[in-house]
């Protein structure tokens, strides 16, 4: 209820492939976004859930079943409330263990072409779902970083207070970087397999690119004066980057547009495979109008590469994007209303 243009909707999904057809700006993406919010308590499109709230509404509600679990989430600018099996949850820890998602969108091309922020978000979103302790490490690092930056914005940053935050900054920063590296190492074989299935192409690999050549502690000491002038922390995992390599070469510089799209699709498929392997449960695949942007070969290859047993929710403006008879359920989306077709 009250998710973007959807005032109210109730949908029963098929456990297999669900196709949602409609013109642009009718609510297809909003429906997929609502599923992501239900299972992960966050939107893949924005950091602020306030952006998702329907205009004029006081709060949004997502309520649904995932397997045997009944999940409920309410969010407004004033408060939020989440419950599992009708029991209100004080923290999100148990709630977030229930389901996993993978979001496919045309904007994924930014993983290759865009800035480092999109690539860091890709790693962070995956690590939060598969790496025990990553949420605490990232939260601790973010707190230390914000505290340091708040002090650095002062006219005369107090050296002793800055030093007090150096230890948690370095400790949590090292943990964040290490866990990111472990996740990407696990992701590599799945990415190469997926890339081969989609593009019949060379191995795909991921490489972390630190924002500093030395250790984080040495880099922090070396930039002490510079960061005072810049009034912000200049080194650390919040500035690291991720490089996508095809046969050892950066995809951003050496791959064509079609090859770049194959790379990002393979990255998402690898994410799905790793989530299934680590959680013991196939993630829900939320596929936002991706098929319409692919040529016939890549469209067929992507569909065949999707995990057979995963639930798939596919938004599209065209009904012919899938091979005939491959959708288990089909819906029309018009002005925020979802009806079986």
């Amino acid at each position: 209820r009250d998710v973007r243009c959807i005032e109210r909707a109730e949908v029963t999904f098929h456990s297999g492939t669900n196709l949602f057809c409609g013109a642009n700006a009718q609510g297809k993406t909003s429906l997929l976004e609502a599923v992501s919010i239900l299972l992960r308590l966050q939107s893949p499109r924005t950091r602020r859930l306030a952006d998702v709230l329907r205009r004029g509404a006081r709060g949004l509600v997502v309520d649904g079943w995932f397997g045997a679990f009944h999940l409920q989430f309410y969010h407004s600018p004033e408060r939020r409330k989440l419950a599992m099996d009708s029991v209100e949850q004080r923290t999100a820890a148990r709630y977030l263990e229930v389901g996993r998602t993978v979001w496919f969108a045309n904007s994924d091309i930014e993983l290759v072409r865009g800035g480092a922020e999109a690539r860091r978000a890709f790693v962070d979103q995956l690590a939060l779902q598969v790496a025990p302790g990553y949420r605490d490490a990232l939260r601790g690092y973010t707190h230390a970083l914000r505290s340091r930056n708040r002090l650095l914005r002062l006219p005369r940053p107090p050296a002793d207070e800055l030093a007090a935050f150096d230890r948690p900054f370095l400790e949590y920063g090292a943990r964040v970087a290490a866990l990111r590296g472990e996740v990407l190492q696990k992701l590599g074989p799945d990415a190469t397999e997926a890339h081969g299935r989609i593009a019949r192409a060379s191995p795909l690999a991921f490489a972390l690119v630190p924002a500093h050549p030395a250790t984080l502690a040495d880099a922090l000491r070396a930039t002490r004066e510079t960061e005072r002038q810049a009034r912000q922390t200049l080194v650390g995992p919040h500035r690291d980057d991720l490089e996508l390599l095809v046969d050892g070469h950066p995809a951003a510089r050496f791959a064509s547009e079609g090859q770049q799209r194959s790379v990002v699709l393979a990255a998402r498929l690898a994410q799905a495979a790793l989530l299934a392997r680590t959680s013991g449960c196939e993630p829900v695949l939320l596929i936002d109008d991706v098929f319409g942007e692919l040529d016939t070969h890549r469209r067929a290859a992507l569909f065949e590469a999707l995990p057979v047993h995963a639930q798939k929710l596919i938004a599209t403006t065209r009904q012919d994007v899938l091979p005939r008879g491959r959708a288990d359920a089909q819906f029309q989306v018009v002005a925020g209303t979802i009806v079986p077709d």
Side-chain angles (χ1 to χ4, degrees), residues 21-44:
C21 302
N24 290 325
Q26 298 300 302
K28 305 184 304 297
T29 301
S30 299
L31 176 64
L32 270 58
E33 189 175 19
V35 174
S36 176
I37 295 170
L38 176 68
L39 293 179
R40 302 309 307 165
L41 303 178
Q42 62 182 14
S43 164

